[in-house]
Amino acid sequence: MTKKIEMLFVLAKSRGQGVGTELLRFTLETQNVQFVDVNEQNPEAVGFYEAKGFEVYERSPTDDMGKPFQSY
């Protein structure tokens, strides 16, 4: 079974302190994660995962529940 990270949130005041990196490291080491879902409308999140070596594998106009992503 392929596992993926559905979401990873870090408080704004904790960003840049290694919290997200440590959460991601722990998850990758313990959960056999191969993929991550990230909203491309969140450039900070996209940049974080790209910096950690993730690459775009697939794009979808809908979320996992089949609902379209919203543009704001």
Side-chain angles (χ1 to χ4, degrees):
M1 178 175 150
T2 301
K3 294 185 179 182
K4 67 180 175 178
I5 297 172
E6 294 285 344
M7 59 187 81
L8 171 66
F9 291 99
V10 175
L11 290 173
K13 67 181 181 180
S14 298
R15 290 185 187 145
Q17 298 178 26
V19 175
T21 298
E22 185 60 24
L23 287 170
L24 181 61
R25 183 200 61 77
F26 175 80
T27 303
L28 292 173
E29 290 178 0
T30 64
Q31 301 299 314
N32 192 34
V33 169
Q34 296 174 323
F35 299 97
V36 61
D37 273 353
V38 61
N39 186 334
E40 65 185 16
Q41 295 171 351
N42 182 343
E44 287 183 22
V46 172
F48 172 79
Y49 290 112
E50 287 179 339
K52 303 303 180 203
F54 284 88
E55 298 176 3
V56 175
Y57 171 74
E58 182 178 52
R59 295 179 69 209
S60 174
T62 60
D63 64 18
D64 283 346
M65 295 172 47
K67 296 181 180 180
F69 289 113
Q70 300 294 316
S71 296
Y72 297 98

